[in-house]
PDB file of all heavy atoms in Angstrom:
ATOM      1  N   VAL A  76     -13.356  -2.072 -14.377  1.00 87.00           N
ATOM      2  CA  VAL A  76     -12.688  -0.789 -14.125  1.00 87.00           C
ATOM      3  C   VAL A  76     -12.322  -0.686 -12.646  1.00 87.00           C
ATOM      4  O   VAL A  76     -11.240  -0.203 -12.288  1.00 87.00           O
ATOM      5  CB  VAL A  76     -13.592   0.384 -14.557  1.00 87.00           C
ATOM      6  CG1 VAL A  76     -12.969   1.727 -14.148  1.00 87.00           C
ATOM      7  CG2 VAL A  76     -13.812   0.347 -16.059  1.00 87.00           C
ATOM      8  N   GLY A  77     -13.240  -1.147 -11.763  1.00 86.00           N
ATOM      9  CA  GLY A  77     -12.935  -1.121 -10.337  1.00 86.00           C
ATOM     10  C   GLY A  77     -11.689  -1.926 -10.006  1.00 86.00           C
ATOM     11  O   GLY A  77     -10.843  -1.496  -9.219  1.00 86.00           O
ATOM     12  N   ASP A  78     -11.542  -3.109 -10.634  1.00 88.00           N
ATOM     13  CA  ASP A  78     -10.334  -3.911 -10.401  1.00 88.00           C
ATOM     14  C   ASP A  78      -9.088  -3.170 -10.879  1.00 88.00           C
ATOM     15  O   ASP A  78      -8.035  -3.204 -10.237  1.00 88.00           O
ATOM     16  CB  ASP A  78     -10.452  -5.248 -11.136  1.00 88.00           C
ATOM     17  CG  ASP A  78     -11.492  -6.162 -10.507  1.00 88.00           C
ATOM     18  OD1 ASP A  78     -11.922  -5.865  -9.380  1.00 88.00           O
ATOM     19  OD2 ASP A  78     -11.861  -7.154 -11.138  1.00 88.00           O
ATOM     20  N   GLU A  79      -9.177  -2.486 -12.020  1.00 88.00           N
ATOM     21  CA  GLU A  79      -8.025  -1.741 -12.539  1.00 88.00           C
ATOM     22  C   GLU A  79      -7.656  -0.596 -11.603  1.00 88.00           C
ATOM     23  O   GLU A  79      -6.465  -0.298 -11.393  1.00 88.00           O
ATOM     24  CB  GLU A  79      -8.358  -1.212 -13.941  1.00 88.00           C
ATOM     25  CG  GLU A  79      -7.205  -0.508 -14.636  1.00 88.00           C
ATOM     26  CD  GLU A  79      -6.041  -1.430 -14.929  1.00 88.00           C
ATOM     27  OE1 GLU A  79      -6.253  -2.649 -14.954  1.00 88.00           O
ATOM     28  OE2 GLU A  79      -4.915  -0.940 -15.104  1.00 88.00           O
ATOM     29  N   VAL A  80      -8.674   0.060 -11.040  1.00 88.00           N
ATOM     30  CA  VAL A  80      -8.419   1.147 -10.080  1.00 88.00           C
ATOM     31  C   VAL A  80      -7.639   0.619  -8.876  1.00 88.00           C
ATOM     32  O   VAL A  80      -6.669   1.234  -8.420  1.00 88.00           O
ATOM     33  CB  VAL A  80      -9.756   1.782  -9.645  1.00 88.00           C
ATOM     34  CG1 VAL A  80      -9.542   2.701  -8.443  1.00 88.00           C
ATOM     35  CG2 VAL A  80     -10.380   2.565 -10.793  1.00 88.00           C
ATOM     36  N   LEU A  81      -8.063  -0.554  -8.343  1.00 89.00           N
ATOM     37  CA  LEU A  81      -7.365  -1.125  -7.195  1.00 89.00           C
ATOM     38  C   LEU A  81      -5.906  -1.438  -7.541  1.00 89.00           C
ATOM     39  O   LEU A  81      -4.985  -1.146  -6.769  1.00 89.00           O
ATOM     40  CB  LEU A  81      -8.083  -2.405  -6.743  1.00 89.00           C
ATOM     41  CG  LEU A  81      -9.456  -2.221  -6.092  1.00 89.00           C
ATOM     42  CD1 LEU A  81     -10.094  -3.575  -5.825  1.00 89.00           C
ATOM     43  CD2 LEU A  81      -9.338  -1.442  -4.787  1.00 89.00           C
ATOM     44  N   LYS A  82      -5.688  -2.033  -8.730  1.00 88.00           N
ATOM     45  CA  LYS A  82      -4.324  -2.388  -9.110  1.00 88.00           C
ATOM     46  C   LYS A  82      -3.453  -1.141  -9.311  1.00 88.00           C
ATOM     47  O   LYS A  82      -2.278  -1.126  -8.922  1.00 88.00           O
ATOM     48  CB  LYS A  82      -4.354  -3.252 -10.376  1.00 88.00           C
ATOM     49  CG  LYS A  82      -4.925  -4.648 -10.129  1.00 88.00           C
ATOM     50  CD  LYS A  82      -4.723  -5.571 -11.314  1.00 88.00           C
ATOM     51  CE  LYS A  82      -5.706  -5.288 -12.406  1.00 88.00           C
ATOM     52  NZ  LYS A  82      -5.653  -6.297 -13.495  1.00 88.00           N
ATOM     53  N   ARG A  83      -4.023  -0.092  -9.924  1.00 89.00           N
ATOM     54  CA  ARG A  83      -3.238   1.135 -10.109  1.00 89.00           C
ATOM     55  C   ARG A  83      -2.883   1.774  -8.763  1.00 89.00           C
ATOM     56  O   ARG A  83      -1.778   2.275  -8.558  1.00 89.00           O
ATOM     57  CB  ARG A  83      -4.017   2.131 -10.977  1.00 89.00           C
ATOM     58  CG  ARG A  83      -4.147   1.720 -12.451  1.00 89.00           C
ATOM     59  CD  ARG A  83      -2.779   1.654 -13.155  1.00 89.00           C
ATOM     60  NE  ARG A  83      -2.164   2.965 -13.273  1.00 89.00           N
ATOM     61  CZ  ARG A  83      -2.367   3.801 -14.270  1.00 89.00           C
ATOM     62  NH1 ARG A  83      -3.164   3.452 -15.253  1.00 89.00           N
ATOM     63  NH2 ARG A  83      -1.774   4.981 -14.305  1.00 89.00           N
ATOM     64  N   ALA A  84      -3.842   1.767  -7.830  1.00 88.00           N
ATOM     65  CA  ALA A  84      -3.575   2.333  -6.505  1.00 88.00           C
ATOM     66  C   ALA A  84      -2.461   1.570  -5.799  1.00 88.00           C
ATOM     67  O   ALA A  84      -1.578   2.152  -5.171  1.00 88.00           O
ATOM     68  CB  ALA A  84      -4.854   2.326  -5.673  1.00 88.00           C
ATOM     69  N   VAL A  85      -2.486   0.234  -5.913  1.00 90.00           N
ATOM     70  CA  VAL A  85      -1.438  -0.577  -5.288  1.00 90.00           C
ATOM     71  C   VAL A  85      -0.087  -0.296  -5.937  1.00 90.00           C
ATOM     72  O   VAL A  85       0.942  -0.191  -5.259  1.00 90.00           O
ATOM     73  CB  VAL A  85      -1.811  -2.070  -5.399  1.00 90.00           C
ATOM     74  CG1 VAL A  85      -0.615  -2.943  -5.038  1.00 90.00           C
ATOM     75  CG2 VAL A  85      -2.988  -2.384  -4.489  1.00 90.00           C
ATOM     76  N   ASP A  86      -0.062  -0.144  -7.277  1.00 90.00           N
ATOM     77  CA  ASP A  86       1.198   0.167  -7.963  1.00 90.00           C
ATOM     78  C   ASP A  86       1.772   1.497  -7.482  1.00 90.00           C
ATOM     79  O   ASP A  86       2.989   1.643  -7.278  1.00 90.00           O
ATOM     80  CB  ASP A  86       0.971   0.219  -9.479  1.00 90.00           C
ATOM     81  CG  ASP A  86       0.728  -1.155 -10.064  1.00 90.00           C
ATOM     82  OD1 ASP A  86       1.088  -2.136  -9.390  1.00 90.00           O
ATOM     83  OD2 ASP A  86       0.186  -1.240 -11.179  1.00 90.00           O
ATOM     84  N   VAL A  87       0.891   2.500  -7.319  1.00 88.00           N
ATOM     85  CA  VAL A  87       1.340   3.806  -6.834  1.00 88.00           C
ATOM     86  C   VAL A  87       1.973   3.672  -5.444  1.00 88.00           C
ATOM     87  O   VAL A  87       3.039   4.234  -5.172  1.00 88.00           O
ATOM     88  CB  VAL A  87       0.154   4.796  -6.810  1.00 88.00           C
ATOM     89  CG1 VAL A  87       0.535   6.067  -6.055  1.00 88.00           C
ATOM     90  CG2 VAL A  87      -0.272   5.150  -8.228  1.00 88.00           C
ATOM     91  N   CYS A  88       1.303   2.917  -4.575  1.00 91.00           N
ATOM     92  CA  CYS A  88       1.820   2.750  -3.216  1.00 91.00           C
ATOM     93  C   CYS A  88       3.148   1.999  -3.220  1.00 91.00           C
ATOM     94  O   CYS A  88       4.060   2.326  -2.458  1.00 91.00           O
ATOM     95  CB  CYS A  88       0.788   2.007  -2.364  1.00 91.00           C
ATOM     96  SG  CYS A  88      -0.712   2.973  -2.050  1.00 91.00           S
ATOM     97  N   HIS A  89       3.237   0.954  -4.058  1.00 88.00           N
ATOM     98  CA  HIS A  89       4.467   0.162  -4.097  1.00 88.00           C
ATOM     99  C   HIS A  89       5.695   1.036  -4.365  1.00 88.00           C
ATOM    100  O   HIS A  89       6.763   0.820  -3.789  1.00 88.00           O
ATOM    101  CB  HIS A  89       4.349  -0.909  -5.180  1.00 88.00           C
ATOM    102  CG  HIS A  89       4.028  -2.259  -4.634  1.00 88.00           C
ATOM    103  ND1 HIS A  89       4.716  -2.843  -3.596  1.00 88.00           N
ATOM    104  CD2 HIS A  89       3.067  -3.160  -4.986  1.00 88.00           C
ATOM    105  CE1 HIS A  89       4.231  -4.009  -3.325  1.00 88.00           C
ATOM    106  NE2 HIS A  89       3.209  -4.243  -4.147  1.00 88.00           N
ATOM    107  N   ARG A  90       5.532   2.008  -5.227  1.00 88.00           N
ATOM    108  CA  ARG A  90       6.677   2.842  -5.584  1.00 88.00           C
ATOM    109  C   ARG A  90       7.162   3.700  -4.410  1.00 88.00           C
ATOM    110  O   ARG A  90       8.312   4.161  -4.416  1.00 88.00           O
ATOM    111  CB  ARG A  90       6.311   3.735  -6.776  1.00 88.00           C
ATOM    112  CG  ARG A  90       6.150   2.957  -8.081  1.00 88.00           C
ATOM    113  CD  ARG A  90       6.144   3.894  -9.291  1.00 88.00           C
ATOM    114  NE  ARG A  90       4.939   4.685  -9.347  1.00 88.00           N
ATOM    115  CZ  ARG A  90       3.839   4.327  -9.995  1.00 88.00           C
ATOM    116  NH1 ARG A  90       3.804   3.151 -10.630  1.00 88.00           N
ATOM    117  NH2 ARG A  90       2.771   5.110 -10.027  1.00 88.00           N
ATOM    118  N   ALA A  91       6.287   3.935  -3.446  1.00 86.00           N
ATOM    119  CA  ALA A  91       6.651   4.794  -2.317  1.00 86.00           C
ATOM    120  C   ALA A  91       7.034   4.000  -1.064  1.00 86.00           C
ATOM    121  O   ALA A  91       7.427   4.591  -0.064  1.00 86.00           O
ATOM    122  CB  ALA A  91       5.487   5.734  -1.993  1.00 86.00           C
ATOM    123  N   LEU A  92       6.903   2.683  -1.095  1.00 91.00           N
ATOM    124  CA  LEU A  92       7.160   1.883   0.098  1.00 91.00           C
ATOM    125  C   LEU A  92       8.599   1.387   0.137  1.00 91.00           C
ATOM    126  O   LEU A  92       9.286   1.292  -0.892  1.00 91.00           O
ATOM    127  CB  LEU A  92       6.201   0.693   0.135  1.00 91.00           C
ATOM    128  CG  LEU A  92       4.720   1.039   0.283  1.00 91.00           C
ATOM    129  CD1 LEU A  92       3.876  -0.222   0.308  1.00 91.00           C
ATOM    130  CD2 LEU A  92       4.484   1.869   1.547  1.00 91.00           C
ATOM    131  N   HIS A  93       9.053   1.026   1.346  1.00 89.00           N
ATOM    132  CA  HIS A  93      10.378   0.468   1.549  1.00 89.00           C
ATOM    133  C   HIS A  93      10.302  -1.049   1.511  1.00 89.00           C
ATOM    134  O   HIS A  93       9.240  -1.633   1.676  1.00 89.00           O
ATOM    135  CB  HIS A  93      10.953   0.917   2.900  1.00 89.00           C
ATOM    136  CG  HIS A  93      11.064   2.409   3.008  1.00 89.00           C
ATOM    137  ND1 HIS A  93      11.162   3.059   4.227  1.00 89.00           N
ATOM    138  CD2 HIS A  93      11.070   3.388   2.052  1.00 89.00           C
ATOM    139  CE1 HIS A  93      11.235   4.378   4.015  1.00 89.00           C
ATOM    140  NE2 HIS A  93      11.180   4.592   2.709  1.00 89.00           N
ATOM    141  N   ALA A  94      11.448  -1.672   1.349  1.00 88.00           N
ATOM    142  CA  ALA A  94      11.480  -3.131   1.232  1.00 88.00           C
ATOM    143  C   ALA A  94      11.008  -3.810   2.508  1.00 88.00           C
ATOM    144  O   ALA A  94      10.455  -4.911   2.469  1.00 88.00           O
ATOM    145  CB  ALA A  94      12.898  -3.586   0.886  1.00 88.00           C
ATOM    146  N   CYS A  95      11.209  -3.154   3.670  1.00 91.00           N
ATOM    147  CA  CYS A  95      10.828  -3.785   4.931  1.00 91.00           C
ATOM    148  C   CYS A  95       9.372  -3.525   5.315  1.00 91.00           C
ATOM    149  O   CYS A  95       8.881  -4.086   6.298  1.00 91.00           O
ATOM    150  CB  CYS A  95      11.755  -3.323   6.049  1.00 91.00           C
ATOM    151  SG  CYS A  95      11.701  -1.522   6.319  1.00 91.00           S
ATOM    152  N   ASP A  96       8.675  -2.672   4.601  1.00 92.00           N
ATOM    153  CA  ASP A  96       7.277  -2.377   4.917  1.00 92.00           C
ATOM    154  C   ASP A  96       6.393  -3.570   4.562  1.00 92.00           C
ATOM    155  O   ASP A  96       6.636  -4.274   3.583  1.00 92.00           O
ATOM    156  CB  ASP A  96       6.786  -1.147   4.143  1.00 92.00           C
ATOM    157  CG  ASP A  96       7.559   0.116   4.528  1.00 92.00           C
ATOM    158  OD1 ASP A  96       8.133   0.124   5.633  1.00 92.00           O
ATOM    159  OD2 ASP A  96       7.569   1.060   3.726  1.00 92.00           O
ATOM    160  N   VAL A  97       5.354  -3.807   5.381  1.00 94.00           N
ATOM    161  CA  VAL A  97       4.400  -4.897   5.153  1.00 94.00           C
ATOM    162  C   VAL A  97       3.122  -4.294   4.577  1.00 94.00           C
ATOM    163  O   VAL A  97       2.456  -3.499   5.239  1.00 94.00           O
ATOM    164  CB  VAL A  97       4.100  -5.665   6.451  1.00 94.00           C
ATOM    165  CG1 VAL A  97       3.172  -6.843   6.154  1.00 94.00           C
ATOM    166  CG2 VAL A  97       5.393  -6.164   7.079  1.00 94.00           C
ATOM    167  N   PHE A  98       2.795  -4.652   3.382  1.00 94.00           N
ATOM    168  CA  PHE A  98       1.666  -4.061   2.637  1.00 94.00           C
ATOM    169  C   PHE A  98       0.642  -5.151   2.343  1.00 94.00           C
ATOM    170  O   PHE A  98       0.983  -6.181   1.770  1.00 94.00           O
ATOM    171  CB  PHE A  98       2.195  -3.466   1.326  1.00 94.00           C
ATOM    172  CG  PHE A  98       1.183  -2.658   0.549  1.00 94.00           C
ATOM    173  CD1 PHE A  98       0.011  -2.191   1.137  1.00 94.00           C
ATOM    174  CD2 PHE A  98       1.395  -2.374  -0.795  1.00 94.00           C
ATOM    175  CE1 PHE A  98      -0.910  -1.454   0.419  1.00 94.00           C
ATOM    176  CE2 PHE A  98       0.480  -1.630  -1.533  1.00 94.00           C
ATOM    177  CZ  PHE A  98      -0.676  -1.174  -0.929  1.00 94.00           C
ATOM    178  N   GLY A  99      -0.622  -4.972   2.741  1.00 93.00           N
ATOM    179  CA  GLY A  99      -1.638  -6.003   2.525  1.00 93.00           C
ATOM    180  C   GLY A  99      -3.004  -5.414   2.240  1.00 93.00           C
ATOM    181  O   GLY A  99      -3.297  -4.268   2.573  1.00 93.00           O
ATOM    182  N   ARG A 100      -3.796  -6.230   1.601  1.00 92.00           N
ATOM    183  CA  ARG A 100      -5.208  -5.890   1.319  1.00 92.00           C
ATOM    184  C   ARG A 100      -6.089  -6.610   2.332  1.00 92.00           C
ATOM    185  O   ARG A 100      -6.101  -7.830   2.397  1.00 92.00           O
ATOM    186  CB  ARG A 100      -5.584  -6.319  -0.107  1.00 92.00           C
ATOM    187  CG  ARG A 100      -7.023  -5.957  -0.498  1.00 92.00           C
ATOM    188  CD  ARG A 100      -7.341  -6.470  -1.901  1.00 92.00           C
ATOM    189  NE  ARG A 100      -8.707  -6.163  -2.286  1.00 92.00           N
ATOM    190  CZ  ARG A 100      -9.310  -6.655  -3.363  1.00 92.00           C
ATOM    191  NH1 ARG A 100      -8.664  -7.508  -4.157  1.00 92.00           N
ATOM    192  NH2 ARG A 100     -10.546  -6.330  -3.657  1.00 92.00           N
ATOM    193  N   LEU A 101      -6.839  -5.826   3.138  1.00 91.00           N
ATOM    194  CA  LEU A 101      -7.677  -6.419   4.173  1.00 91.00           C
ATOM    195  C   LEU A 101      -9.020  -6.878   3.634  1.00 91.00           C
ATOM    196  O   LEU A 101      -9.683  -7.715   4.234  1.00 91.00           O
ATOM    197  CB  LEU A 101      -7.894  -5.419   5.319  1.00 91.00           C
ATOM    198  CG  LEU A 101      -6.618  -4.931   6.017  1.00 91.00           C
ATOM    199  CD1 LEU A 101      -6.960  -4.051   7.188  1.00 91.00           C
ATOM    200  CD2 LEU A 101      -5.767  -6.114   6.469  1.00 91.00           C
ATOM    201  N   GLY A 102      -9.432  -6.331   2.510  1.00 86.00           N
ATOM    202  CA  GLY A 102     -10.717  -6.716   1.930  1.00 86.00           C
ATOM    203  C   GLY A 102     -11.307  -5.541   1.164  1.00 86.00           C
ATOM    204  O   GLY A 102     -11.192  -4.384   1.573  1.00 86.00           O
ATOM    205  N   GLY A 103     -11.940  -5.848   0.021  1.00 87.00           N
ATOM    206  CA  GLY A 103     -12.552  -4.787  -0.757  1.00 87.00           C
ATOM    207  C   GLY A 103     -11.520  -3.754  -1.170  1.00 87.00           C
ATOM    208  O   GLY A 103     -10.479  -4.056  -1.752  1.00 87.00           O
ATOM    209  N   GLU A 104     -11.789  -2.477  -0.858  1.00 89.00           N
ATOM    210  CA  GLU A 104     -10.866  -1.405  -1.206  1.00 89.00           C
ATOM    211  C   GLU A 104     -10.060  -0.936   0.009  1.00 89.00           C
ATOM    212  O   GLU A 104      -9.535   0.165   0.013  1.00 89.00           O
ATOM    213  CB  GLU A 104     -11.649  -0.225  -1.794  1.00 89.00           C
ATOM    214  CG  GLU A 104     -12.554   0.531  -0.805  1.00 89.00           C
ATOM    215  CD  GLU A 104     -13.929  -0.095  -0.660  1.00 89.00           C
ATOM    216  OE1 GLU A 104     -14.093  -1.290  -0.968  1.00 89.00           O
ATOM    217  OE2 GLU A 104     -14.850   0.601  -0.232  1.00 89.00           O
ATOM    218  N   GLU A 105      -9.964  -1.757   1.051  1.00 94.00           N
ATOM    219  CA  GLU A 105      -9.289  -1.374   2.289  1.00 94.00           C
ATOM    220  C   GLU A 105      -7.903  -2.012   2.341  1.00 94.00           C
ATOM    221  O   GLU A 105      -7.759  -3.224   2.132  1.00 94.00           O
ATOM    222  CB  GLU A 105     -10.111  -1.809   3.500  1.00 94.00           C
ATOM    223  CG  GLU A 105      -9.559  -1.275   4.813  1.00 94.00           C
ATOM    224  CD  GLU A 105     -10.451  -1.632   5.980  1.00 94.00           C
ATOM    225  OE1 GLU A 105     -11.207  -2.590   5.877  1.00 94.00           O
ATOM    226  OE2 GLU A 105     -10.365  -0.920   7.008  1.00 94.00           O
ATOM    227  N   PHE A 106      -6.859  -1.199   2.659  1.00 95.00           N
ATOM    228  CA  PHE A 106      -5.477  -1.654   2.655  1.00 95.00           C
ATOM    229  C   PHE A 106      -4.803  -1.233   3.971  1.00 95.00           C
ATOM    230  O   PHE A 106      -5.227  -0.277   4.630  1.00 95.00           O
ATOM    231  CB  PHE A 106      -4.695  -1.054   1.481  1.00 95.00           C
ATOM    232  CG  PHE A 106      -5.264  -1.415   0.140  1.00 95.00           C
ATOM    233  CD1 PHE A 106      -6.279  -0.653  -0.445  1.00 95.00           C
ATOM    234  CD2 PHE A 106      -4.814  -2.543  -0.538  1.00 95.00           C
ATOM    235  CE1 PHE A 106      -6.798  -0.991  -1.675  1.00 95.00           C
ATOM    236  CE2 PHE A 106      -5.327  -2.889  -1.764  1.00 95.00           C
ATOM    237  CZ  PHE A 106      -6.329  -2.113  -2.342  1.00 95.00           C
ATOM    238  N   ALA A 107      -3.742  -1.951   4.311  1.00 95.00           N
ATOM    239  CA  ALA A 107      -2.975  -1.623   5.519  1.00 95.00           C
ATOM    240  C   ALA A 107      -1.484  -1.705   5.198  1.00 95.00           C
ATOM    241  O   ALA A 107      -1.056  -2.543   4.402  1.00 95.00           O
ATOM    242  CB  ALA A 107      -3.333  -2.578   6.652  1.00 95.00           C
ATOM    243  N   ILE A 108      -0.713  -0.811   5.832  1.00 95.00           N
ATOM    244  CA  ILE A 108       0.747  -0.792   5.662  1.00 95.00           C
ATOM    245  C   ILE A 108       1.367  -0.684   7.056  1.00 95.00           C
ATOM    246  O   ILE A 108       1.059   0.244   7.818  1.00 95.00           O
ATOM    247  CB  ILE A 108       1.205   0.397   4.793  1.00 95.00           C
ATOM    248  CG1 ILE A 108       0.487   0.413   3.447  1.00 95.00           C
ATOM    249  CG2 ILE A 108       2.707   0.346   4.596  1.00 95.00           C
ATOM    250  CD1 ILE A 108       0.724   1.674   2.654  1.00 95.00           C
ATOM    251  N   LEU A 109       2.223  -1.632   7.404  1.00 93.00           N
ATOM    252  CA  LEU A 109       2.946  -1.597   8.679  1.00 93.00           C
ATOM    253  C   LEU A 109       4.358  -1.088   8.401  1.00 93.00           C
ATOM    254  O   LEU A 109       5.073  -1.659   7.568  1.00 93.00           O
ATOM    255  CB  LEU A 109       2.982  -2.991   9.306  1.00 93.00           C
ATOM    256  CG  LEU A 109       3.595  -3.049  10.702  1.00 93.00           C
ATOM    257  CD1 LEU A 109       2.735  -2.265  11.697  1.00 93.00           C
ATOM    258  CD2 LEU A 109       3.761  -4.493  11.162  1.00 93.00           C
ATOM    259  N   LEU A 110       4.744  -0.006   9.107  1.00 94.00           N
ATOM    260  CA  LEU A 110       6.025   0.665   8.864  1.00 94.00           C
ATOM    261  C   LEU A 110       6.962   0.397  10.043  1.00 94.00           C
ATOM    262  O   LEU A 110       6.783   0.953  11.128  1.00 94.00           O
ATOM    263  CB  LEU A 110       5.816   2.178   8.705  1.00 94.00           C
ATOM    264  CG  LEU A 110       4.748   2.615   7.674  1.00 94.00           C
ATOM    265  CD1 LEU A 110       4.582   4.123   7.714  1.00 94.00           C
ATOM    266  CD2 LEU A 110       5.139   2.142   6.285  1.00 94.00           C
ATOM    267  N   PRO A 111       7.957  -0.461   9.895  1.00 94.00           N
ATOM    268  CA  PRO A 111       8.903  -0.728  10.982  1.00 94.00           C
ATOM    269  C   PRO A 111       9.813   0.477  11.215  1.00 94.00           C
ATOM    270  O   PRO A 111      10.128   1.237  10.287  1.00 94.00           O
ATOM    271  CB  PRO A 111       9.690  -1.942  10.477  1.00 94.00           C
ATOM    272  CG  PRO A 111       8.896  -2.490   9.326  1.00 94.00           C
ATOM    273  CD  PRO A 111       8.180  -1.326   8.747  1.00 94.00           C
ATOM    274  N   ASP A 112      10.242   0.625  12.467  1.00 91.00           N
ATOM    275  CA  ASP A 112      11.233   1.641  12.832  1.00 91.00           C
ATOM    276  C   ASP A 112      10.800   3.017  12.313  1.00 91.00           C
ATOM    277  O   ASP A 112      11.551   3.703  11.632  1.00 91.00           O
ATOM    278  CB  ASP A 112      12.611   1.248  12.284  1.00 91.00           C
ATOM    279  CG  ASP A 112      13.727   1.962  13.043  1.00 91.00           C
ATOM    280  OD1 ASP A 112      13.440   2.556  14.115  1.00 91.00           O
ATOM    281  OD2 ASP A 112      14.867   1.926  12.567  1.00 91.00           O
ATOM    282  N   CYS A 113       9.583   3.400  12.689  1.00 92.00           N
ATOM    283  CA  CYS A 113       9.002   4.631  12.125  1.00 92.00           C
ATOM    284  C   CYS A 113       8.301   5.410  13.235  1.00 92.00           C
ATOM    285  O   CYS A 113       7.555   4.844  14.040  1.00 92.00           O
ATOM    286  CB  CYS A 113       8.007   4.265  11.012  1.00 92.00           C
ATOM    287  SG  CYS A 113       7.252   5.686  10.205  1.00 92.00           S
ATOM    288  N   SER A 114       8.517   6.730  13.270  1.00 92.00           N
ATOM    289  CA  SER A 114       7.859   7.579  14.256  1.00 92.00           C
ATOM    290  C   SER A 114       6.502   8.030  13.733  1.00 92.00           C
ATOM    291  O   SER A 114       6.243   7.975  12.527  1.00 92.00           O
ATOM    292  CB  SER A 114       8.730   8.804  14.551  1.00 92.00           C
ATOM    293  OG  SER A 114       8.756   9.652  13.407  1.00 92.00           O
ATOM    294  N   PRO A 115       5.613   8.519  14.632  1.00 94.00           N
ATOM    295  CA  PRO A 115       4.319   9.013  14.156  1.00 94.00           C
ATOM    296  C   PRO A 115       4.454  10.133  13.140  1.00 94.00           C
ATOM    297  O   PRO A 115       3.694  10.178  12.167  1.00 94.00           O
ATOM    298  CB  PRO A 115       3.637   9.482  15.445  1.00 94.00           C
ATOM    299  CG  PRO A 115       4.241   8.636  16.515  1.00 94.00           C
ATOM    300  CD  PRO A 115       5.662   8.430  16.111  1.00 94.00           C
ATOM    301  N   ALA A 116       5.403  11.043  13.330  1.00 93.00           N
ATOM    302  CA  ALA A 116       5.551  12.146  12.369  1.00 93.00           C
ATOM    303  C   ALA A 116       5.970  11.612  11.002  1.00 93.00           C
ATOM    304  O   ALA A 116       5.474  12.057   9.961  1.00 93.00           O
ATOM    305  CB  ALA A 116       6.590  13.135  12.891  1.00 93.00           C
ATOM    306  N   GLN A 117       6.900  10.652  11.017  1.00 94.00           N
ATOM    307  CA  GLN A 117       7.317  10.071   9.735  1.00 94.00           C
ATOM    308  C   GLN A 117       6.157   9.321   9.072  1.00 94.00           C
ATOM    309  O   GLN A 117       5.984   9.392   7.858  1.00 94.00           O
ATOM    310  CB  GLN A 117       8.492   9.115   9.965  1.00 94.00           C
ATOM    311  CG  GLN A 117       9.779   9.815  10.386  1.00 94.00           C
ATOM    312  CD  GLN A 117      10.844   8.812  10.808  1.00 94.00           C
ATOM    313  OE1 GLN A 117      10.530   7.779  11.387  1.00 94.00           O
ATOM    314  NE2 GLN A 117      12.109   9.154  10.539  1.00 94.00           N
TER     315      GLN A 117
END
């Protein structure tokens, strides 16, 4: 179930990300997204 939760969370994020965004899993349940050409407010 934990693995399914991780996959569903990633699917949710994928739908909201742009093609140029860098999305990775750092380990366990921790993820990082690098947003190019993006302000702090955005």
